[in-house]
């Protein structure tokens, strides 16, 4: 098929379909529209991926449209600022609105040809956005029905929800295809708008407060973007990304990259900009699933992946790595003390984005490979985890992991998928661990003496990561005392399609990791990056170590099967646990103590609240994070 | 060459098959030596095997239906990890695979509602958090000497690692103490029931599940001691001797010190352990720089 049509389908169809959902606010129309859009989006992104990279010049009318919509958007942000009397939003919108006017009408921003360049990185990103994003929107069809049922709304507000969800997908695809910094900035601002509107969707006081936090933090990134536009225009007379990347590094070019990296960090929620992603957890769960896995945060990662090649062996690159590593460490410790399920996932997202950022900052072919591997597998696993959490939340009516005791018995299918998804985040033989393993190989072989500090951070952080996932995972398997079940699992088709597809992706892509590396990840490396990864039949070999792939998968399956076989063969009577005395016959939570008095037992999960306090840790992390962010701009001089 | 190839495959397979048995003998030696240190006679050397065989035949009681699978997982993944080592594979991968074994034990103990078992499971979790970074850093410091994470490379060195990494070797002592479940860091459960009546993380295992967990523990000990032998891998006999010395040191420490709480365990490994390794790596780098 014609590639131009494919571009139009991936970027144009989602907003139009969203518009359709906005007008036709009824259940059946929504299902038809979302179903068709997903098919088109997934199909066209796959076809586009298959047809390879291209340069494309859209019709001139689009340039005018982008400008008009951009000005409307900025005015809307300004209006929002006045409406909620939020001085930060007002200030940051003005800081963008007038410079953009000046840029367009007085400087007459430089012509960019071609406006669209699609390279392998864009194609990979588009694939992630389209597949995972679409599955999340499908999932939302069922979720939002249940959600509104719980809220007892009069009249559905789902039309605006699906409009922004779909608009986000289109904007993300546009973002990764743009070659003009100004277009990139425009799509960037649309994702900001979508996140703001989606976070405040429920309209509660806390939702509005958190959405404004998200808005101003993302607008900070927007301002940094405008600064980058001006540097490009005034010093180099170009805002074409392909040309900017070819400039020979000097402090001013590096300043431009530092601004872009800064903008990227606001999107990918690195410290001290972590707060908005954390606050976003008040939104309906599909929003989190979309923002944290396939879309929004990946915009930030895409941008630093894009600007990485010229930054190799610069102090700027090293500062980027430091920010990522620092975020990884702190978020792991924050997650250790977090009781809310979505909160843990949010910290885990921030941490993994930190890990990816770190890899990009180190900027060797090997670490770039690690970054891409982590990006792909993190998107899938995190998306699936959020989807599972959403299902459970609607059934259990609690977000605290301690209330999810014994979920494996109560919601067996969902819990089993969730447990596998959790294990895929930190254990071999899954893809995420392979990514982390490549990252450690890349770090140790990078020969920065200072990379020792980062290695230490990663090692400690990953220990904490294992702990919070195992803790949570164990909680799901606890034998419930009361034996109560949450009814049978009502499986609607949007749930099963989205969750089973992602589950299938985790397993198949994880098992076929060698092929994935070979076919998708290695071709995505920038031009002059020669990764010395060799893929033999059984191993992924990085030159300094080798990761056994298929044998471990086969062994894992054999172990699970023989474990099951032994359990079946030997069997055994399930006995109540040892408490501290005689068990009480009809009360499994009590035992007889002195003088036959009944004592109730209570157990809790492991938290470290006496050792450190999350609020205090966040305060400290913000200060250190801000200092490292400032280092970013000092680093351009070296 | 062909002979060599066969040896390369047959020898690791034999090692893997005999690892649990070797672990049983090590446990037997442990009990004998500990008894002597406490002026007792101690059980016969093969007492651990009698125990496990008897446990296997006991009437099965389980705490939940997934407990047996997890107990087997603990054993099987420990063995997988040892197999990776025996075949000379990647050190990092070996350490990550041990994490699956740990996960099995921890989840098995946390999924029962017994407070003892839950407490043991939580402490096992912290034990894991304490020693995993040290092992990873050990692998990384070995990389700084050999330029590879592969065990094969270590086995083909013509100099002992110990001369380059003496401090890393010292940092392994707390790791061994934790993994052997010895005082002062036997927070999750004591290897010998000399300080407790209810055995923490093992509370809810009985009969064949306990036998499986015991086998897993033996295998894991063999794995950890094998990591120690890597510090003098050529000739390997010195490495084995080194491992036995370290094992004896751990037994002495076990009999001298009372149990400390988990906080001091975490603090020691994350501060002293990490600092020892960093000092060692800095020393290595400065040695290279001086040579240039």
């Amino acid at each position: 098929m014609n590639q131009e049509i494919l571009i139009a389908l991936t970027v144009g169809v989602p907003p139009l379909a969203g518009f359709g959902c906005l007008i036709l606010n009824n259940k059946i129309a929504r299902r038809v529209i979302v179903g068709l859009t997903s098919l088109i989006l997934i199909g066209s992104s796959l076809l586009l991926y298959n047809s390879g990279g291209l340069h494309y010049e859209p019709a001139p009318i689009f340039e005018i449209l982008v400008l008009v919509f951009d000005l409307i958007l900025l005015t809307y942000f300004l209006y929002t600022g006045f409406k909620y009397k939020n001085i930060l939003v007002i200030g940051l919108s003005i800081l963008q609105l007038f410079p953009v006017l000046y840029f367009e009408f007085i400087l007459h921003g430089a012509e960019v040809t071609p406006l669209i360049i699609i390279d392998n990185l864009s194609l990979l990103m588009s694939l992630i956005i389209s597949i995972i994003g679409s599955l999340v929107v499908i999932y939302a069809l069922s979720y939002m029905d249940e959600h509104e049922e719980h809220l007892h709304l009069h009249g559905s507000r789902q039309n605006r929800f699906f409009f922004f969800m779909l608009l986000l997908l289109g904007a993300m695809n546009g973002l990764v295809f743009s070659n003009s910094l100004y277009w990139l900035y425009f799509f960037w601002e649309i994702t900001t708008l979508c996140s703001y509107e989606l976070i405040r969707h429920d309209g509660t006081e806390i939702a509005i407060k958190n959405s404004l936090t998200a808005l101003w933090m993302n607008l900070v990134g927007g301002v940094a973007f405008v600064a980058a536009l001006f540097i490009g225009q005034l010093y180099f007379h170009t805002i074409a990304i392909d040309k900017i990347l070819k400039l020979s590094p000097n402090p001013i070019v590096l300043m431009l990259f530092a601004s872009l990296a800064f903008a990227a960090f606001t999107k990918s929620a690195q410290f001290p900009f972590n707060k908005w992603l954390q606050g976003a957890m008040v939104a309906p769960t599909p929003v989190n699933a979309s923002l944290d896995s396939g879309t929004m945060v990946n915009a930030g990662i895409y941008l630093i992946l894009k600007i990485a090649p010229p930054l190799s062996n610069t102090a700027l690159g090293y500062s980027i790595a430091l920010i990522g590593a620092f975020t990884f460490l702190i978020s792991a410790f924050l997650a250790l003390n977090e009781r809310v399920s979505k909160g843990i996932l949010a910290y885990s997202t921030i941490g993994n984005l930190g890990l990816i950022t770190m890899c990009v900052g180190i900027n060797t072919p090997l670490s770039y490979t690690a970054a891409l591997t982590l990006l792909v597998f993190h998107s899938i696993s995190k998306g699936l985890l959020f989807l599972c959490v959403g299902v459970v939340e609607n059934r259990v009516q609690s977000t605290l992991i301690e209330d999810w005791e014994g979920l494996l018995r109560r919601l067996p299918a969902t819990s089993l998928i969730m447990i596998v998804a959790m294990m895929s985040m930190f254990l071999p033989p899954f893809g995420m661990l392979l990514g982390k393993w490549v990252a450690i190989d890349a770090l140790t072989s990078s020969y920065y003496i200072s990379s020792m500090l980062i290695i230490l951070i990663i090692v400690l952080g990953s220990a904490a990561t294992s702990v919070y996932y195992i803790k949570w995972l164990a909680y799901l398997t606890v034998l419930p005392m009361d034996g109560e079940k949450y009814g049978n699992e009502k499986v609607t088709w949007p749930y099963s399609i989205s969750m089973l597809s992602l589950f299938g992706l985790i397993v198949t892509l994880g098992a076929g990791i060698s092929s994935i590396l070979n076919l998708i990840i290695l071709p995505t490396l920038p031009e002059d990056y020669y990764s010395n990864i060799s893929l033999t039949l059984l191993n992924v070999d990085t030159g300094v170590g080798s990761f056994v792939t298929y044998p471990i998968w086969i062994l894992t399956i054999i172990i699970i099967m023989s474990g099951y076989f032994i359990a079946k063969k030997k069997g055994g009577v399930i006995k109540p646990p040892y408490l501290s005395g005689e068990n009480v016959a009809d009360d499994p939570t009590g035992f007889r103590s002195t003088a036959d008095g009944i004592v109730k037992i209570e157990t809790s999960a492991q938290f470290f609240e006496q050792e450190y306090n999350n609020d205090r840790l966040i305060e400290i992390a913000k200060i250190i994070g801000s200092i490292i962010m400032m280092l970013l701009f000092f680093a351009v001089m070296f | 060459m062909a002979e060599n190839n066969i040896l390369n495959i047959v020898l690791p397979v034999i090692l893997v098959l005999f690892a649990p048995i070797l672990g049983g003998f090590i446990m037997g030696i442990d009990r004998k030596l500990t008894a002597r240190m406490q002026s007792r006679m101690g059980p016969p050397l093969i007492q651990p095997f009698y125990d496990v065989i008897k446990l296997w035949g006991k009437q099965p009681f389980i705490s939940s239906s997934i407990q047996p699978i997890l107990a087997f997982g603990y054993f099987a993944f420990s063995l997988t990890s040892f197999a990776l080592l025996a075949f000379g594979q990647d050190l990092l991968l070996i350490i990550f695979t041990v994490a699956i074994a740990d996960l099995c034990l921890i989840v098995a103990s946390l999924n029962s509602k017994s407070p003892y078992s839950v407490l043991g499971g939580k402490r096992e979790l912290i034990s894991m958090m304490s020693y995993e970074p040290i092992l990873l850093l050990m692998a990384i410091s070995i990389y700084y000497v050999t330029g590879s994470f592969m065990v094969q490379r270590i086995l083909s060195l013509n100099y002992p690692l110990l001369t380059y990494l003496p401090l890393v070797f010292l940092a392994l002592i707390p790791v061994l103490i934790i993994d052997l479940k010895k005082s002062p860091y036997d927070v999750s459960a004591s290897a010998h029931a000399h300080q407790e009546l209810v055995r923490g993380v093992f509370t809810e295992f009985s009969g064949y599940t306990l036998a499986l967990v015991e086998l897993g523990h033996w295998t894991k000990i063999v794995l950890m001691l094998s990591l120690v032998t890597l510090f003098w891998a050529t000739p390997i006999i010195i490495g084995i001797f080194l491992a036995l010395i370290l094992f004896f040191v751990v037994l002495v420490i076990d009999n001298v010190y009372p149990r400390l709480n988990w906080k001091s365990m975490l603090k020691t490994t994350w501060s002293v352990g990490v600092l020892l390794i960093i000092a060692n790596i800095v020393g290595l780098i400065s040695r290279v720089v001086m040579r240039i």
Side-chain angles (χ1 to χ4, degrees):
Chain A
M1 201 191 291
N2 200 331
Q3 286 174 321
E4 283 103 65
I5 298 173
L6 290 175
I7 296 173
L9 286 178
T10 46
V11 183
V13 165
L16 289 177
F19 200 64
C21 285
L22 191 64
I23 296 166
L24 304 169
N25 189 11
N26 78 60
K27 198 170 159 181
I28 295 161
R30 203 155 44 227
R31 285 180 186 224
V32 172
I33 292 174
V34 168
L36 282 177
T37 314
S38 306
L39 280 179
I40 292 173
L41 206 50
I42 294 175
S44 54
S45 68
L46 281 171
L47 284 174
L48 197 60
Y49 189 85
N50 204 29
S51 66
L54 82 156
H55 294 206
Y56 174 62
E57 191 61 58
I61 178 79
F62 285 107
E63 272 188 274
I64 299 162
L65 279 179
V66 164
L67 178 62
V68 171
F69 277 119
D70 192 29
L71 292 178
I72 295 174
L73 199 60
L74 289 172
T75 321
Y76 177 71
F77 288 149
L78 192 61
Y79 160 76
T80 311
F82 279 114
K83 185 173 157 198
Y84 291 104
K85 299 191 178 56
N86 190 319
I87 193 80
L88 277 168
V89 174
I90 298 175
L92 292 166
S93 322
I94 290 176
L95 272 179
Q96 288 177 60
L97 184 58
F98 290 105
V100 166
L101 284 172
Y102 180 78
F103 181 82
E104 277 300 325
F105 294 107
I106 297 174
L107 287 179
H108 298 291
E111 284 286 309
V112 178
T113 43
L115 275 162
I116 286 178
I117 291 186
I118 300 181
D119 57 6
N120 287 343
L121 180 61
S122 320
L123 289 171
L124 177 65
M125 292 302 297
S126 167
L127 217 51
I128 295 174
I129 295 159
S130 305
I131 295 178
I132 296 172
S134 303
L135 289 173
V136 171
V137 179
I138 292 176
Y139 168 92
L141 288 171
S142 272
Y143 182 92
M144 290 312 287
D145 285 345
E146 285 177 10
H147 183 70
E148 298 204 325
E149 209 173 290
H150 289 309
L151 291 179
H152 308 294
L153 283 187
H154 298 291
S156 170
R157 296 177 71 236
Q158 287 189 43
N159 54 347
R160 67 182 290 285
F161 181 84
F162 281 94
F163 172 65
F164 286 114
M165 284 294 270
L166 288 169
L167 178 63
L168 183 60
L169 297 186
M172 283 296 300
N173 273 329
L175 194 150
V176 297
F177 291 159
S178 303
N179 182 41
S180 155
L181 215 48
Y182 182 69
W183 279 39
L184 190 62
Y185 164 72
F186 167 68
F187 288 118
W188 189 268
E189 292 297 272
I190 296 184
T191 64
T192 302
L193 170 80
C194 292
S195 68
Y196 162 71
E197 292 291 348
L198 288 169
I199 293 170
R200 70 187 267 263
H201 178 76
D202 280 344
T204 55
E205 204 173 314
I206 180 98
I208 289 173
K209 184 168 159 274
N210 289 351
S211 67
L212 287 170
T213 312
L215 183 57
W216 79 254
M217 280 193 176
N218 279 304
L219 285 178
V220 172
V223 173
F225 227 115
V226 173
L229 275 177
F230 271 80
I231 297 173
Q233 176 67 30
L234 294 176
Y235 288 92
F236 310 109
H237 309 292
T238 178
I239 51 168
I241 295 172
D242 60 335
K243 295 206 177 70
I244 290 172
L245 290 178
K246 288 196 187 100
L247 296 170
S248 57
N250 64 45
I252 297 169
V253 181
L254 287 179
M255 194 68 191
L256 195 158
F257 289 136
S259 307
L260 289 180
F262 183 83
F265 292 145
T266 60
K267 266 293 169 229
S268 57
Q270 303 294 294
F271 273 95
F273 298 111
N274 63 311
K275 200 179 165 192
W276 78 261
L277 198 66
Q278 206 59 35
M281 295 303 136
V282 298
T285 307
V287 176
N288 309 124
S290 187
L291 296 188
D292 285 31
S293 65
T295 59
M296 194 75 171
V297 292
N298 283 356
I301 298 297
Y302 166 75
L303 193 58
I304 47 168
L305 279 170
K306 192 93 193 165
I307 63 175
L311 299 184
S312 62
N313 287 320
T314 58
L316 183 58
Y318 190 73
S319 320
I320 291 174
L322 206 57
I323 288 172
F326 174 73
T327 305
F328 178 67
L329 181 69
I330 294 296
S331 58
F333 279 95
L334 289 172
L336 266 184
N337 256 357
E338 178 67 54
R339 283 165 190 273
V340 180
S341 54
K342 272 159 90 177
I344 298 179
L345 291 185
Y347 283 130
S348 158
T349 305
I350 297 172
N352 280 308
L353 295 176
L355 192 60
I356 299 171
T357 307
M358 186 281 291
C359 290
V360 183
I362 292 298
N363 213 347
T364 59
L366 206 53
S367 76
Y368 206 92
T369 314
L372 291 171
T373 316
L374 286 168
L375 175 68
V376 171
F377 284 96
H378 173 257
S379 301
I380 304 172
S381 295
K382 190 50 64 61
L384 182 56
L385 270 175
F386 266 112
L387 299 191
C388 294
V389 164
V391 171
V392 177
E393 265 178 6
N394 273 355
R395 304 287 179 286
V396 182
Q397 296 297 322
S398 168
T399 56
L400 298 178
I401 57 165
E402 285 177 292
D403 292 338
W404 291 15
E405 212 173 82
L407 209 63
L408 188 59
R409 269 144 221 279
R410 293 170 172 171
L411 297 169
T414 313
S415 314
L416 203 62
I417 293 179
M418 192 145 105
I419 287 173
V420 175
M422 280 183 195
M423 288 169 79
S424 74
M425 293 295 293
F426 69 104
L427 285 180
F430 292 102
M432 278 293 283
L433 187 102
L434 183 105
K436 201 192 270 179
W437 174 81
V438 178
I440 295 179
D441 279 9
L443 267 173
T444 45
S445 58
S446 74
Y447 290 112
Y448 275 125
I449 289 179
S450 37
S451 70
M452 201 48 221
L453 173 68
I454 295 180
I455 289 175
L456 189 64
I457 290 177
I458 297 303
V459 165
L460 295 181
S462 70
T465 307
S466 312
V467 169
Y468 69 76
Y469 272 118
I470 294 180
K471 172 179 83 181
W472 188 2
L473 195 154
Y475 238 80
L476 300 179
T477 66
V478 175
L479 188 69
M481 286 293 187
D482 46 13
E484 172 208 345
K485 282 202 170 191
Y486 290 111
N488 51 346
E489 281 176 272
K490 202 174 76 184
V491 186
T492 51
W493 64 264
Y495 279 164
S496 37
I497 285 180
S498 53
M499 287 163 69
L500 289 178
S501 311
L502 284 178
F503 183 75
L505 279 179
I506 288 184
V507 176
T508 50
L509 297 193
I513 184 80
S514 301
S515 324
I516 297 302
L517 278 172
N518 197 17
L519 296 175
I520 295 183
I521 290 173
L522 294 181
T524 311
L525 292 183
E527 271 166 28
D528 43 355
Y529 279 47
Y530 297 109
S531 183
N532 46 358
I533 286 191
S534 57
L535 303 159
T536 56
L537 184 62
L538 304 175
N539 292 325
V540 174
D541 201 311
T542 57
V544 296
S546 100
F547 193 99
V548 188
T549 50
Y550 299 116
I552 299 241
W553 274 95
I554 294 167
L555 263 177
T556 308
I557 292 166
I558 292 176
I559 289 171
I560 294 170
M561 275 164 55
S562 38
Y564 183 76
F565 177 73
I566 289 175
K568 263 267 166 320
K569 187 96 193 300
K570 297 286 279 184
V573 187
I574 297 185
K575 286 277 176 190
Y578 173 72
L579 299 175
S580 295
E582 188 194 355
N583 290 76
V584 181
D586 48 356
D587 178 10
T589 60
F591 66 91
R592 290 190 194 282
S593 175
T594 331
D596 269 1
I598 294 176
V599 180
K600 290 273 183 190
I601 58 138
E602 217 172 273
T603 53
S604 66
Q606 177 70 47
F607 295 102
F608 296 85
E609 276 155 351
Q610 285 172 356
E611 283 67 43
Y612 62 89
N613 178 299
N614 264 9
D615 296 334
R616 182 130 182 77
L617 189 58
I618 290 178
E619 287 306 315
I620 297 168
K622 255 190 206 162
I623 296 168
I624 300 177
S626 312
I627 292 171
I628 308 180
M629 282 288 176
M630 278 189 260
L631 269 183
L632 204 65
F633 291 98
F634 283 109
V636 300
M637 289 182 278
F638 301 101
Chain B
M1 195 63 203
E3 243 171 73
N4 206 4
N5 269 343
I6 291 168
L7 200 68
N8 276 349
I9 293 171
V10 173
L11 191 65
V13 170
I14 293 171
L15 272 178
V16 172
L17 291 179
F18 281 91
I21 296 168
L22 187 63
F25 279 113
I26 291 173
M27 290 305 279
I29 297 171
D30 168 17
R31 287 172 78 165
K32 202 83 188 166
L33 284 176
T34 305
R36 288 296 155 86
M37 285 182 207
Q38 297 164 353
S39 312
R40 292 184 283 117
M41 269 303 287
L45 192 63
I46 52 170
Q47 183 63 38
F49 295 100
Y50 291 147
D51 290 351
V52 163
I53 292 166
K54 188 171 183 196
L55 281 172
W56 190 263
K58 286 252 181 196
Q59 193 187 353
F61 290 124
I62 50 177
S63 71
S64 74
S65 47
I66 57 169
Q67 190 195 26
I69 303 176
L70 290 168
F72 178 72
Y74 178 56
F75 168 54
F77 282 108
S78 300
L79 200 59
T80 307
S81 187
F82 180 76
L84 286 170
L85 183 94
F87 280 97
Q89 291 301 315
D90 190 285
L91 270 174
L92 292 173
L93 186 60
I94 292 167
I95 298 162
F96 288 130
T97 312
V98 183
I100 314 183
D102 284 335
L103 173 127
C104 290
L105 180 63
I106 292 165
V107 173
S109 64
L110 284 179
N111 83 20
S112 120
K113 201 61 174 147
S114 163
Y116 295 98
S117 178
V118 170
L119 208 59
K122 281 159 121 176
R123 289 176 168 195
E124 185 70 23
L125 198 55
I126 296 169
S127 305
M128 178 186 169
M129 185 166 150
S130 307
Y131 79 74
E132 204 191 61
I134 303 288
L135 284 183
L136 286 176
L137 288 173
M138 175 202 78
I140 288 162
S141 50
I142 289 179
Y143 169 85
Y144 280 122
V145 178
T146 65
S148 165
F149 283 107
M150 303 299 283
V151 173
Q152 275 164 350
R153 174 70 73 86
I154 302 171
L155 294 176
S156 66
L157 292 178
N158 51 12
Y159 53 85
L161 278 176
L162 186 64
T163 51
Y164 288 88
L165 302 169
L167 298 179
V168 177
F169 189 72
L170 284 184
L172 279 184
I173 294 178
V175 174
L176 265 183
I177 295 177
I178 294 170
D179 270 316
L180 282 163
K181 304 209 185 308
K182 294 290 185 188
S183 288
Y185 300 138
D186 52 349
V187 292
S188 68
S190 186
H192 297 173
H194 55 141
Q195 0 195 330
E196 57 196 1
L197 293 176
V198 183
R199 269 184 94 195
V201 69
F202 300 127
T203 309
E204 287 300 319
F205 294 98
S206 66
Y208 74 102
T209 54
L210 187 57
L212 285 171
V213 169
E214 277 295 323
L215 284 173
H217 189 207
W218 297 356
T219 316
K220 210 172 145 192
I221 287 170
V222 175
L223 171 72
M224 291 299 160
L225 290 174
S226 315
L227 287 178
V228 175
T229 61
L230 294 181
F231 280 79
W232 205 304
T234 45
I236 193 80
I237 191 75
I238 300 179
I240 294 171
F241 188 63
L242 217 57
L244 289 178
I245 290 176
L246 211 55
F247 180 62
F248 185 72
V249 170
V250 170
L251 290 191
V252 172
I253 293 173
D254 177 46
N255 281 289
V256 172
Y257 284 98
R259 173 186 292 180
L260 294 173
N261 63 12
W262 65 264
K263 278 183 210 169
S264 66
M265 172 176 74
L266 197 58
K267 272 181 199 154
T268 314
T269 50
W270 280 40
S271 59
V272 180
V274 169
L275 280 179
L276 278 173
I277 293 178
I278 289 181
N280 206 150
I281 292 177
V282 170
L284 271 181
I285 291 169
S286 55
R287 206 194 261 195
V288 173
V289 172
M290 297 241 286
R291 206 177 292 158
I292 294 167

